[in-house]
Amino acid sequence: MGHDASLAVDRGRYQDARTPWDQEAWRTVALGWVHDRLAAHGLRASGPLRVRLRPWSVLVRVPVAGREAVWFKANPPASGFEAALTAALPRWVPEHVLEPLSVDTGRGWSLLPDGGDLFRTVLERTAVEPRAWESLLGQYASMQCALVPHAREIVRLGVPSARPAELPEVFDKLLVDNAALRPDERARLDALRPRLMDWCTELAASGVPDSLDHADLHDGQLFRPEPGRYTFFDWGDASVSHPFCSLHVTARRACERYGPEVLPRLRDAYLEPWTGAGRTAEELRRAVRLAWRLSALGRARAWGGLFPAATGTALLAGQSARSLMELFEEPLL
């Protein structure tokens, strides 16, 4: 499992991205940890590694003799909580997530089994009806409902707290930290703050309890090992927030594929597990519209979770600025 200089490394759009993988000492320790953790399960690596580097993660596909490959992931400090969260979720919602082979919570490392086909791969390979998206959103919402009692414990694992009442503070910090905003954009956002405060207050009073928000739940962030069953992963952008903030990204992807006419059914499939407890359908739909807007803050925050000394930060600051400007977009639902 030694590092091969000729190894194909995928850096995507970030060809000059600096990550710990570029340090030979770090590679030696990390791959040694993978070797030891595999051995503890009676497994051994077999074959060339595939490496994917981004300013926010190191991901290595490790072929294993006699079984599917495993995946090593290293997070930067800002999302280092993912290892602890990945280890905890199978205790609470085992039917919805992967169980890691091992994690190192101190270093933000995870070793994960293969989860089967990505939903994105299934979409590329076969015709998939919109009802499959309804099914995945219903399953995801059921998982969020099951995680409500664990929200405080999830925060104690290091997952950011971004409850509706805390979002104005998140908004303020994003404005201070982002150097990519143009003066006119900053002025518009400053002027928006009173309305944002009202949205947060109303959403906090919606009666829907806080839970885990994936914050980037698209077709490349979940597996579909078999029809009607989905496995959710990649929690590096997650927070504890209003759960409905999760709907925006998934619904937009489905809208791009099938058109806006699918959105009401997707919304209602997502909301079904949240019905009851005195909440009316109109109240839930109003909360969806508020969370749709405010979810932009979670996406804007996620662009800042980089490795120390990572390059390409100007590009990512621009991405964060674009996410902030989504606060002005009218919800599609």
Side-chain angles (χ1 to χ4, degrees):
M1 282 181 56
H3 176 63
D4 182 352
S6 66
L7 189 69
V9 175
D10 169 18
R11 296 179 183 267
R13 292 184 295 162
Y14 308 95
Q15 292 300 310
D16 61 345
R18 290 176 57 85
T19 72
W21 181 262
D22 299 307
Q23 304 165 20
E24 184 175 357
W26 186 92
R27 289 195 306 271
T28 299
V29 172
L31 295 178
W33 180 81
V34 171
H35 173 83
D36 291 344
R37 295 299 87 213
L38 286 175
H41 288 274
L43 303 171
R44 64 178 179 83
S46 174
L49 307 179
R50 248 182 23 219
V51 183
R52 180 183 182 274
L53 303 181
R54 297 295 185 267
W56 55 85
S57 68
V58 170
L59 188 64
V60 183
R61 182 184 184 275
V62 183
V64 174
R67 58 164 284 168
E68 297 291 336
V70 300
W71 298 83
F72 167 74
K73 184 173 184 179
N75 292 75
S79 63
F81 61 81
E82 185 177 4
L85 179 60
T86 297
L89 287 174
R91 299 200 301 269
W92 302 324
V93 286
E95 67 274 29
H96 299 299
V97 296
L98 294 173
E99 180 164 6
L101 280 74
S102 190
V103 300
D104 184 323
T105 58
R107 291 189 282 200
W109 292 355
S110 306
L111 190 64
L112 295 159
D114 190 270
D117 284 334
L118 284 176
F119 189 40
R120 175 179 293 165
T121 303
V122 175
L123 292 170
E124 293 169 350
R125 191 172 59 211
T126 61
V128 176
E129 296 295 319
R131 64 176 174 268
W133 296 72
E134 296 171 31
S135 176
L136 83 84
L137 281 169
Q139 183 184 326
Y140 176 74
S142 296
M143 180 188 69
Q144 287 183 300
C145 288
L147 290 172
V148 164
H150 304 288
R152 289 187 178 182
E153 189 171 353
I154 292 171
V155 172
R156 286 198 292 271
L157 294 175
V159 178
S161 180
R163 296 173 171 89
E166 299 165 332
L167 288 178
E169 182 180 343
V170 173
F171 173 80
D172 292 343
K173 187 174 190 310
L174 286 167
L175 260 63
V176 168
D177 291 347
N178 195 306
L181 286 166
R182 301 193 309 266
D184 62 308
E185 292 174 331
R186 193 175 296 277
R188 286 185 68 200
L189 288 164
D190 283 336
L192 181 69
R193 194 181 192 282
R195 287 182 67 200
L196 183 136
M197 290 278 291
D198 291 342
W199 295 335
C200 293
T201 299
E202 185 179 353
L203 190 59
S206 66
V208 176
D210 300 317
S211 187
L212 185 65
D213 169 24
H214 185 285
D216 193 26
L217 187 64
H218 56 71
D219 49 16
Q221 305 278 45
L222 60 140
F223 299 108
R224 198 195 75 163
E226 60 187 59
R229 188 166 74 85
Y230 301 89
T231 304
F232 307 103
F233 73 101
D234 200 347
W235 300 98
D237 295 339
S239 65
V240 170
S241 188
H242 195 285
F244 294 4
C245 289
S246 288
L247 182 59
H248 183 137
V249 170
T250 321
R252 267 200 179 280
R253 289 296 179 98
C255 181
E256 291 166 2
R257 180 171 288 269
Y258 303 106
E261 62 273 11
V262 304
L263 292 176
R265 289 185 60 178
L266 294 182
R267 175 199 60 203
D268 292 347
Y270 174 77
L271 288 178
E272 196 280 331
W274 299 103
T275 56
R279 296 186 283 263
T280 68
E282 184 48 43
E283 287 170 339
L284 290 171
R285 290 172 181 176
R286 171 62 179 167
V288 164
R289 290 191 288 273
L290 292 166
W292 183 283
R293 278 196 192 269
L294 293 169
S295 67
L297 297 175
R299 291 189 296 283
R301 177 187 56 80
W303 289 111
L306 311 179
F307 286 112
T311 52
T313 54
L315 175 62
L316 296 172
Q319 299 273 23
S320 180
R322 281 189 285 278
S323 294
L324 280 171
M325 298 309 292
E326 291 176 10
L327 287 164
F328 294 99
E329 297 179 4
E330 287 299 321
L332 297 179
L333 284 165

mmCIF file with all atom_site columns, all heavy atoms in Angstrom, residues 239-256:
data_model
loop_
_atom_site.group_PDB
_atom_site.id
_atom_site.type_symbol
_atom_site.label_atom_id
_atom_site.label_alt_id
_atom_site.label_comp_id
_atom_site.label_asym_id
_atom_site.label_entity_id
_atom_site.label_seq_id
_atom_site.pdbx_PDB_ins_code
_atom_site.Cartn_x
_atom_site.Cartn_y
_atom_site.Cartn_z
_atom_site.occupancy
_atom_site.B_iso_or_equiv
_atom_site.pdbx_formal_charge
_atom_site.auth_seq_id
_atom_site.auth_comp_id
_atom_site.auth_asym_id
_atom_site.auth_atom_id
_atom_site.pdbx_PDB_model_num
ATOM 1   N N   . SER A 1 239 ? -25.287 19.835 9.842   1.00 0.00 ? 239 SER A N   1
ATOM 2   C CA  . SER A 1 239 ? -25.479 20.632 11.055  1.00 0.00 ? 239 SER A CA  1
ATOM 3   C C   . SER A 1 239 ? -26.762 20.148 11.719  1.00 0.00 ? 239 SER A C   1
ATOM 4   O O   . SER A 1 239 ? -27.547 19.394 11.135  1.00 0.00 ? 239 SER A O   1
ATOM 5   C CB  . SER A 1 239 ? -25.590 22.127 10.727  1.00 0.00 ? 239 SER A CB  1
ATOM 6   O OG  . SER A 1 239 ? -26.759 22.392 9.968   1.00 0.00 ? 239 SER A OG  1
ATOM 7   N N   . VAL A 1 240 ? -26.966 20.580 12.945  1.00 0.00 ? 240 VAL A N   1
ATOM 8   C CA  . VAL A 1 240 ? -28.254 20.396 13.601  1.00 0.00 ? 240 VAL A CA  1
ATOM 9   C C   . VAL A 1 240 ? -29.030 21.681 13.379  1.00 0.00 ? 240 VAL A C   1
ATOM 10  O O   . VAL A 1 240 ? -28.621 22.755 13.825  1.00 0.00 ? 240 VAL A O   1
ATOM 11  C CB  . VAL A 1 240 ? -28.088 20.087 15.100  1.00 0.00 ? 240 VAL A CB  1
ATOM 12  C CG1 . VAL A 1 240 ? -29.431 20.148 15.815  1.00 0.00 ? 240 VAL A CG1 1
ATOM 13  C CG2 . VAL A 1 240 ? -27.464 18.705 15.271  1.00 0.00 ? 240 VAL A CG2 1
ATOM 14  N N   . SER A 1 241 ? -30.113 21.564 12.660  1.00 0.00 ? 241 SER A N   1
ATOM 15  C CA  . SER A 1 241 ? -30.853 22.750 12.242  1.00 0.00 ? 241 SER A CA  1
ATOM 16  C C   . SER A 1 241 ? -32.312 22.376 12.072  1.00 0.00 ? 241 SER A C   1
ATOM 17  O O   . SER A 1 241 ? -32.738 21.288 12.480  1.00 0.00 ? 241 SER A O   1
ATOM 18  C CB  . SER A 1 241 ? -30.262 23.282 10.929  1.00 0.00 ? 241 SER A CB  1
ATOM 19  O OG  . SER A 1 241 ? -30.835 24.526 10.579  1.00 0.00 ? 241 SER A OG  1
ATOM 20  N N   . HIS A 1 242 ? -33.085 23.278 11.470  1.00 0.00 ? 242 HIS A N   1
ATOM 21  C CA  . HIS A 1 242 ? -34.447 22.897 11.120  1.00 0.00 ? 242 HIS A CA  1
ATOM 22  C C   . HIS A 1 242 ? -34.357 21.826 10.049  1.00 0.00 ? 242 HIS A C   1
ATOM 23  O O   . HIS A 1 242 ? -33.692 22.020 9.024   1.00 0.00 ? 242 HIS A O   1
ATOM 24  C CB  . HIS A 1 242 ? -35.226 24.106 10.605  1.00 0.00 ? 242 HIS A CB  1
ATOM 25  C CG  . HIS A 1 242 ? -36.708 23.853 10.564  1.00 0.00 ? 242 HIS A CG  1
ATOM 26  N ND1 . HIS A 1 242 ? -37.285 23.054 9.598   1.00 0.00 ? 242 HIS A ND1 1
ATOM 27  C CD2 . HIS A 1 242 ? -37.716 24.263 11.367  1.00 0.00 ? 242 HIS A CD2 1
ATOM 28  C CE1 . HIS A 1 242 ? -38.588 22.994 9.804   1.00 0.00 ? 242 HIS A CE1 1
ATOM 29  N NE2 . HIS A 1 242 ? -38.881 23.717 10.876  1.00 0.00 ? 242 HIS A NE2 1
ATOM 30  N N   . PRO A 1 243 ? -34.988 20.672 10.253  1.00 0.00 ? 243 PRO A N   1
ATOM 31  C CA  . PRO A 1 243 ? -34.773 19.568 9.312   1.00 0.00 ? 243 PRO A CA  1
ATOM 32  C C   . PRO A 1 243 ? -35.181 19.891 7.879   1.00 0.00 ? 243 PRO A C   1
ATOM 33  O O   . PRO A 1 243 ? -34.591 19.351 6.926   1.00 0.00 ? 243 PRO A O   1
ATOM 34  C CB  . PRO A 1 243 ? -35.639 18.438 9.890   1.00 0.00 ? 243 PRO A CB  1
ATOM 35  C CG  . PRO A 1 243 ? -36.603 19.103 10.809  1.00 0.00 ? 243 PRO A CG  1
ATOM 36  C CD  . PRO A 1 243 ? -35.895 20.299 11.350  1.00 0.00 ? 243 PRO A CD  1
ATOM 37  N N   . PHE A 1 244 ? -36.154 20.790 7.705   1.00 0.00 ? 244 PHE A N   1
ATOM 38  C CA  . PHE A 1 244 ? -36.648 21.074 6.358   1.00 0.00 ? 244 PHE A CA  1
ATOM 39  C C   . PHE A 1 244 ? -35.608 21.772 5.485   1.00 0.00 ? 244 PHE A C   1
ATOM 40  O O   . PHE A 1 244 ? -35.777 21.842 4.265   1.00 0.00 ? 244 PHE A O   1
ATOM 41  C CB  . PHE A 1 244 ? -37.920 21.919 6.407   1.00 0.00 ? 244 PHE A CB  1
ATOM 42  C CG  . PHE A 1 244 ? -39.117 21.237 7.028   1.00 0.00 ? 244 PHE A CG  1
ATOM 43  C CD1 . PHE A 1 244 ? -39.026 19.972 7.592   1.00 0.00 ? 244 PHE A CD1 1
ATOM 44  C CD2 . PHE A 1 244 ? -40.349 21.871 7.054   1.00 0.00 ? 244 PHE A CD2 1
ATOM 45  C CE1 . PHE A 1 244 ? -40.128 19.352 8.171   1.00 0.00 ? 244 PHE A CE1 1
ATOM 46  C CE2 . PHE A 1 244 ? -41.456 21.261 7.625   1.00 0.00 ? 244 PHE A CE2 1
ATOM 47  C CZ  . PHE A 1 244 ? -41.346 20.001 8.181   1.00 0.00 ? 244 PHE A CZ  1
ATOM 48  N N   . CYS A 1 245 ? -34.528 22.268 6.085   1.00 0.00 ? 245 CYS A N   1
ATOM 49  C CA  . CYS A 1 245 ? -33.456 22.872 5.283   1.00 0.00 ? 245 CYS A CA  1
ATOM 50  C C   . CYS A 1 245 ? -32.833 21.854 4.324   1.00 0.00 ? 245 CYS A C   1
ATOM 51  O O   . CYS A 1 245 ? -32.210 22.230 3.333   1.00 0.00 ? 245 CYS A O   1
ATOM 52  C CB  . CYS A 1 245 ? -32.374 23.449 6.191   1.00 0.00 ? 245 CYS A CB  1
ATOM 53  S SG  . CYS A 1 245 ? -32.877 24.943 7.094   1.00 0.00 ? 245 CYS A SG  1
ATOM 54  N N   . SER A 1 246 ? -33.015 20.569 4.611   1.00 0.00 ? 246 SER A N   1
ATOM 55  C CA  . SER A 1 246 ? -32.439 19.523 3.761   1.00 0.00 ? 246 SER A CA  1
ATOM 56  C C   . SER A 1 246 ? -33.129 19.404 2.411   1.00 0.00 ? 246 SER A C   1
ATOM 57  O O   . SER A 1 246 ? -32.556 18.850 1.469   1.00 0.00 ? 246 SER A O   1
ATOM 58  C CB  . SER A 1 246 ? -32.538 18.167 4.465   1.00 0.00 ? 246 SER A CB  1
ATOM 59  O OG  . SER A 1 246 ? -31.638 18.074 5.545   1.00 0.00 ? 246 SER A OG  1
ATOM 60  N N   . LEU A 1 247 ? -34.369 19.857 2.295   1.00 0.00 ? 247 LEU A N   1
ATOM 61  C CA  . LEU A 1 247 ? -35.178 19.559 1.114   1.00 0.00 ? 247 LEU A CA  1
ATOM 62  C C   . LEU A 1 247 ? -34.693 20.281 -0.136  1.00 0.00 ? 247 LEU A C   1
ATOM 63  O O   . LEU A 1 247 ? -34.825 19.760 -1.251  1.00 0.00 ? 247 LEU A O   1
ATOM 64  C CB  . LEU A 1 247 ? -36.638 19.920 1.406   1.00 0.00 ? 247 LEU A CB  1
ATOM 65  C CG  . LEU A 1 247 ? -37.664 19.648 0.308   1.00 0.00 ? 247 LEU A CG  1
ATOM 66  C CD1 . LEU A 1 247 ? -37.699 18.170 -0.062  1.00 0.00 ? 247 LEU A CD1 1
ATOM 67  C CD2 . LEU A 1 247 ? -39.054 20.114 0.762   1.00 0.00 ? 247 LEU A CD2 1
ATOM 68  N N   . HIS A 1 248 ? -34.117 21.473 0.031   1.00 0.00 ? 248 HIS A N   1
ATOM 69  C CA  . HIS A 1 248 ? -33.817 22.354 -1.098  1.00 0.00 ? 248 HIS A CA  1
ATOM 70  C C   . HIS A 1 248 ? -32.949 21.670 -2.161  1.00 0.00 ? 248 HIS A C   1
ATOM 71  O O   . HIS A 1 248 ? -33.302 21.643 -3.347  1.00 0.00 ? 248 HIS A O   1
ATOM 72  C CB  . HIS A 1 248 ? -33.123 23.616 -0.573  1.00 0.00 ? 248 HIS A CB  1
ATOM 73  C CG  . HIS A 1 248 ? -32.831 24.641 -1.615  1.00 0.00 ? 248 HIS A CG  1
ATOM 74  N ND1 . HIS A 1 248 ? -33.036 25.986 -1.411  1.00 0.00 ? 248 HIS A ND1 1
ATOM 75  C CD2 . HIS A 1 248 ? -32.335 24.552 -2.873  1.00 0.00 ? 248 HIS A CD2 1
ATOM 76  C CE1 . HIS A 1 248 ? -32.691 26.655 -2.500  1.00 0.00 ? 248 HIS A CE1 1
ATOM 77  N NE2 . HIS A 1 248 ? -32.250 25.812 -3.393  1.00 0.00 ? 248 HIS A NE2 1
ATOM 78  N N   . VAL A 1 249 ? -31.809 21.125 -1.767  1.00 0.00 ? 249 VAL A N   1
ATOM 79  C CA  . VAL A 1 249 ? -30.852 20.586 -2.737  1.00 0.00 ? 249 VAL A CA  1
ATOM 80  C C   . VAL A 1 249 ? -31.464 19.407 -3.491  1.00 0.00 ? 249 VAL A C   1
ATOM 81  O O   . VAL A 1 249 ? -31.379 19.326 -4.723  1.00 0.00 ? 249 VAL A O   1
ATOM 82  C CB  . VAL A 1 249 ? -29.540 20.174 -2.034  1.00 0.00 ? 249 VAL A CB  1
ATOM 83  C CG1 . VAL A 1 249 ? -28.643 19.386 -2.981  1.00 0.00 ? 249 VAL A CG1 1
ATOM 84  C CG2 . VAL A 1 249 ? -28.822 21.413 -1.520  1.00 0.00 ? 249 VAL A CG2 1
ATOM 85  N N   . THR A 1 250 ? -32.087 18.480 -2.760  1.00 0.00 ? 250 THR A N   1
ATOM 86  C CA  . THR A 1 250 ? -32.659 17.301 -3.405  1.00 0.00 ? 250 THR A CA  1
ATOM 87  C C   . THR A 1 250 ? -33.772 17.687 -4.371  1.00 0.00 ? 250 THR A C   1
ATOM 88  O O   . THR A 1 250 ? -33.838 17.180 -5.502  1.00 0.00 ? 250 THR A O   1
ATOM 89  C CB  . THR A 1 250 ? -33.217 16.334 -2.345  1.00 0.00 ? 250 THR A CB  1
ATOM 90  O OG1 . THR A 1 250 ? -32.346 16.302 -1.221  1.00 0.00 ? 250 THR A OG1 1
ATOM 91  C CG2 . THR A 1 250 ? -33.370 14.935 -2.912  1.00 0.00 ? 250 THR A CG2 1
ATOM 92  N N   . ALA A 1 251 ? -34.646 18.581 -3.926  1.00 0.00 ? 251 ALA A N   1
ATOM 93  C CA  . ALA A 1 251 ? -35.778 18.981 -4.768  1.00 0.00 ? 251 ALA A CA  1
ATOM 94  C C   . ALA A 1 251 ? -35.301 19.695 -6.031  1.00 0.00 ? 251 ALA A C   1
ATOM 95  O O   . ALA A 1 251 ? -35.856 19.494 -7.113  1.00 0.00 ? 251 ALA A O   1
ATOM 96  C CB  . ALA A 1 251 ? -36.727 19.866 -3.971  1.00 0.00 ? 251 ALA A CB  1
ATOM 97  N N   . ARG A 1 252 ? -34.271 20.505 -5.895  1.00 0.00 ? 252 ARG A N   1
ATOM 98  C CA  . ARG A 1 252 ? -33.739 21.195 -7.082  1.00 0.00 ? 252 ARG A CA  1
ATOM 99  C C   . ARG A 1 252 ? -33.177 20.202 -8.099  1.00 0.00 ? 252 ARG A C   1
ATOM 100 O O   . ARG A 1 252 ? -33.377 20.358 -9.311  1.00 0.00 ? 252 ARG A O   1
ATOM 101 C CB  . ARG A 1 252 ? -32.648 22.179 -6.671  1.00 0.00 ? 252 ARG A CB  1
ATOM 102 C CG  . ARG A 1 252 ? -33.149 23.591 -6.430  1.00 0.00 ? 252 ARG A CG  1
ATOM 103 C CD  . ARG A 1 252 ? -32.002 24.580 -6.505  1.00 0.00 ? 252 ARG A CD  1
ATOM 104 N NE  . ARG A 1 252 ? -32.446 25.928 -6.299  1.00 0.00 ? 252 ARG A NE  1
ATOM 105 C CZ  . ARG A 1 252 ? -33.015 26.693 -7.226  1.00 0.00 ? 252 ARG A CZ  1
ATOM 106 N NH1 . ARG A 1 252 ? -33.236 26.209 -8.437  1.00 0.00 ? 252 ARG A NH1 1
ATOM 107 N NH2 . ARG A 1 252 ? -33.369 27.926 -6.956  1.00 0.00 ? 252 ARG A NH2 1
ATOM 108 N N   . ARG A 1 253 ? -32.466 19.196 -7.629  1.00 0.00 ? 253 ARG A N   1
ATOM 109 C CA  . ARG A 1 253 ? -31.916 18.199 -8.549  1.00 0.00 ? 253 ARG A CA  1
ATOM 110 C C   . ARG A 1 253 ? -33.039 17.465 -9.278  1.00 0.00 ? 253 ARG A C   1
ATOM 111 O O   . ARG A 1 253 ? -32.956 17.221 -10.488 1.00 0.00 ? 253 ARG A O   1
ATOM 112 C CB  . ARG A 1 253 ? -31.032 17.207 -7.793  1.00 0.00 ? 253 ARG A CB  1
ATOM 113 C CG  . ARG A 1 253 ? -29.726 17.782 -7.300  1.00 0.00 ? 253 ARG A CG  1
ATOM 114 C CD  . ARG A 1 253 ? -28.826 18.212 -8.469  1.00 0.00 ? 253 ARG A CD  1
ATOM 115 N NE  . ARG A 1 253 ? -27.594 18.790 -7.984  1.00 0.00 ? 253 ARG A NE  1
ATOM 116 C CZ  . ARG A 1 253 ? -26.436 18.118 -7.880  1.00 0.00 ? 253 ARG A CZ  1
ATOM 117 N NH1 . ARG A 1 253 ? -26.378 16.851 -8.232  1.00 0.00 ? 253 ARG A NH1 1
ATOM 118 N NH2 . ARG A 1 253 ? -25.351 18.718 -7.427  1.00 0.00 ? 253 ARG A NH2 1
ATOM 119 N N   . ALA A 1 254 ? -34.078 17.104 -8.556  1.00 0.00 ? 254 ALA A N   1
ATOM 120 C CA  . ALA A 1 254 ? -35.201 16.426 -9.195  1.00 0.00 ? 254 ALA A CA  1
ATOM 121 C C   . ALA A 1 254 ? -35.915 17.352 -10.177 1.00 0.00 ? 254 ALA A C   1
ATOM 122 O O   . ALA A 1 254 ? -36.328 16.927 -11.262 1.00 0.00 ? 254 ALA A O   1
ATOM 123 C CB  . ALA A 1 254 ? -36.173 15.924 -8.133  1.00 0.00 ? 254 ALA A CB  1
ATOM 124 N N   . CYS A 1 255 ? -36.023 18.621 -9.813  1.00 0.00 ? 255 CYS A N   1
ATOM 125 C CA  . CYS A 1 255 ? -36.656 19.608 -10.685 1.00 0.00 ? 255 CYS A CA  1
ATOM 126 C C   . CYS A 1 255 ? -35.876 19.756 -11.987 1.00 0.00 ? 255 CYS A C   1
ATOM 127 O O   . CYS A 1 255 ? -36.459 19.852 -13.075 1.00 0.00 ? 255 CYS A O   1
ATOM 128 C CB  . CYS A 1 255 ? -36.767 20.942 -9.954  1.00 0.00 ? 255 CYS A CB  1
ATOM 129 S SG  . CYS A 1 255 ? -37.557 22.254 -10.900 1.00 0.00 ? 255 CYS A SG  1
ATOM 130 N N   . GLU A 1 256 ? -34.557 19.778 -11.899 1.00 0.00 ? 256 GLU A N   1
ATOM 131 C CA  . GLU A 1 256 ? -33.722 19.884 -13.098 1.00 0.00 ? 256 GLU A CA  1
ATOM 132 C C   . GLU A 1 256 ? -33.917 18.692 -14.019 1.00 0.00 ? 256 GLU A C   1
ATOM 133 O O   . GLU A 1 256 ? -33.829 18.815 -15.244 1.00 0.00 ? 256 GLU A O   1
ATOM 134 C CB  . GLU A 1 256 ? -32.247 19.983 -12.686 1.00 0.00 ? 256 GLU A CB  1
ATOM 135 C CG  . GLU A 1 256 ? -31.893 21.295 -12.002 1.00 0.00 ? 256 GLU A CG  1
ATOM 136 C CD  . GLU A 1 256 ? -30.536 21.245 -11.304 1.00 0.00 ? 256 GLU A CD  1
ATOM 137 O OE1 . GLU A 1 256 ? -29.865 20.184 -11.398 1.00 0.00 ? 256 GLU A OE1 1
ATOM 138 O OE2 . GLU A 1 256 ? -30.159 22.241 -10.652 1.00 0.00 ? 256 GLU A OE2 1
#
